[in-house]
Amino acid sequence: PEEIVERIEATKQEDLSAEKIPINWDYQRSNHFINLFKTQSFTDEKLPNYIFFIHGSSPELQNDDYGLGLYIDKSKTLRERSIKEITKFGEQYILLDNDADDYLDFQYKALKFSKVKRETIAYQLFGKDNIKISNHPHQFLLDYNNMYLGCNCTKYNKATNELGLYPTTLRADLPAYLFKGKQNLSDRVIESLNFKIRAEKFGVIDKLRNAYILPHGAGYSFPDISDIKKIIETKRGRFFISRLKKNKSRLKIFSNLRNLQYEYRGQEVILKTYQLDLGDIAAQLNPLYSFKL
């Protein structure tokens, strides 16, 4: 681990770029990390004895320094080209026609940048002879009106993922997993989740049958909150009135989820993935080191 720490510190001092855009190191923030695992394979595919994950994002393209920008709250250019709509979920922004085309094109640019960025960091830390198993986003637009948010899309061809393997991470103290994806959701699962009637009503049953999803991580849970009782909207923003698990007569009122106590879920995510028949485990990855530097 000391050698990897030294490589990380040296890499942070270098002027690296991907797709001619300077790289912003962000692997110490929030839930970003670089992890190293020992492989326990359950597949005939030849996997290396050790596997690393690089989990970060692309803050470089959130604003309009290099184009239209990805985030409405960070890009003045994107805000100016957006149409504000008032909905029951509050203010939302939409893009139409050429503006929608330009945003989708910029998103493709961002996806390519993020992929090259991960590969660049991988070369710096682990050498150029490492084997690329999976290098995919888990937050992206599939098309103009469909987003994959917080999950792997397993409908990739062999040109982008030869082994068809996708990672799911839990917590630093628990194993991660490589899954082989399959077409989902099945009609049995759609029925068991009580989605069928609503999906047919809104004409989206085929979207569910061709979702091709796998969880990329465990996700957050809030250990003391039972549910949201009411949402209050004011000129200053939204306020959430929540009931507590141990005593539902007691209320916690907050405006920002980021300020709440939270934890990551564990093995129940893997069990649920099996129950919903979303994929098959190809390997269990036992954690050795986790770097947030």
Side-chain angles (χ1 to χ4, degrees):
E2 291 84 357
E3 182 178 352
I4 297 176
V5 170
E6 289 179 2
R7 292 185 185 183
I8 289 174
E9 291 303 309
T11 298
K12 289 165 68 175
Q13 302 305 313
E14 292 195 34
D15 295 325
L16 298 175
S17 63
E19 297 295 293
K20 300 181 180 179
I21 297 172
I23 287 177
N24 181 351
W25 182 277
D26 69 323
Y27 303 106
Q28 80 285 9
R29 300 180 195 167
S30 183
N31 62 347
H32 298 171
F33 57 81
I34 297 171
N35 281 6
L36 188 64
F37 302 91
K38 180 75 170 67
T39 310
Q40 184 178 353
S41 180
F42 304 125
T43 179
D44 293 334
E45 305 283 1
K46 185 171 176 58
L47 295 174
N49 292 329
Y50 297 92
I51 287 176
F52 62 84
F53 281 7
I54 295 177
H55 183 240
S57 64
S58 300
E60 300 88 346
L61 300 181
Q62 291 175 5
N63 58 33
D64 51 8
D65 288 347
Y66 300 100
L68 185 57
L70 293 172
Y71 284 19
I72 194 75
D73 58 334
K74 295 187 177 181
S75 169
K76 181 181 177 181
T77 303
L78 183 58
R79 281 197 305 275
E80 290 174 345
R81 295 178 64 175
S82 300
I83 300 169
K84 183 166 69 173
E85 295 281 351
I86 305 301
T87 77
K88 64 181 180 181
F89 300 109
E91 292 181 353
Q92 302 293 323
Y93 293 83
I94 62 173
L95 295 166
L96 300 175
D97 305 323
N98 291 338
D99 294 321
D101 291 338
D102 291 346
Y103 186 84
L104 200 61
D105 287 343
F106 186 77
Q107 188 231 206
Y108 292 143
K109 174 183 177 181
L111 291 177
K112 185 176 182 182
F113 166 80
S114 67
K115 183 174 182 177
V116 175
K117 176 181 177 179
R118 287 187 290 271
E119 292 176 353
T120 301
I121 299 301
Y123 293 156
Q124 292 289 120
L125 301 186
F126 300 103
K128 294 192 175 183
D129 58 346
N130 66 75
I131 300 167
K132 182 171 64 179
I133 296 173
S134 181
N135 187 4
H136 298 294
H138 52 260
Q139 178 175 320
F140 66 99
L141 285 171
L142 182 67
D143 51 44
Y144 291 105
N145 295 303
N146 291 283
M147 170 180 273
Y148 277 77
L149 181 60
C151 59
N152 290 310
C153 173
T154 60
K155 194 176 182 179
Y156 279 96
N157 58 38
K158 289 188 176 181
T160 56
N161 188 337
E162 290 184 4
L163 298 181
L165 300 178
Y166 302 85
T168 298
T169 59
L170 301 176
R171 303 193 306 256
D173 61 329
L174 293 174
Y177 295 86
L178 287 180
F179 276 92
K180 184 173 283 289
K182 59 176 66 173
Q183 182 174 350
N184 59 69
L185 301 165
S186 69
D187 285 344
R188 176 187 63 80
V189 168
I190 292 171
E191 288 262 20
S192 68
L193 294 173
N194 295 319
F195 287 169
K196 187 173 187 293
I197 294 175
R198 282 183 293 160
E200 289 177 341
K201 176 183 176 181
F202 293 109
V204 295
I205 190 72
D206 286 338
K207 288 184 181 293
L208 291 185
R209 287 172 176 152
N210 294 281
Y212 289 94
I213 56 174
L214 272 173
H216 93 280
Y220 302 113
S221 67
F222 300 100
D224 60 338
I225 289 179
S226 170
D227 58 10
I228 301 297
K229 182 180 179 182
K230 188 177 181 181
I231 299 174
I232 299 174
E233 297 231 16
T234 71
K235 292 181 179 179
R236 297 180 59 192
R238 254 185 232 160
F239 296 86
F240 302 88
I241 300 176
S242 66
R243 294 186 291 187
L244 301 182
K245 285 182 178 177
K246 291 189 176 180
N247 188 335
K248 291 189 177 182
S249 66
R250 295 179 181 175
L251 304 177
K252 177 182 280 191
I253 302 169
F254 57 92
S255 59
N256 190 336
L257 280 169
R258 294 182 182 276
N259 297 329
L260 295 183
Q261 175 189 356
Y262 71 89
E263 59 189 19
Y264 291 101
R265 293 179 293 175
Q267 295 286 357
E268 64 267 27
V269 174
I270 304 303
L271 176 61
K272 197 68 175 179
T273 301
Y274 257 123
Q275 288 176 341
L276 299 180
D277 197 28
L278 304 182
D280 297 317
I281 292 179
Q284 176 176 300
L285 308 178
N286 299 311
L288 296 176
Y289 312 122
S290 181
F291 300 93
K292 290 177 70 70
L293 301 171

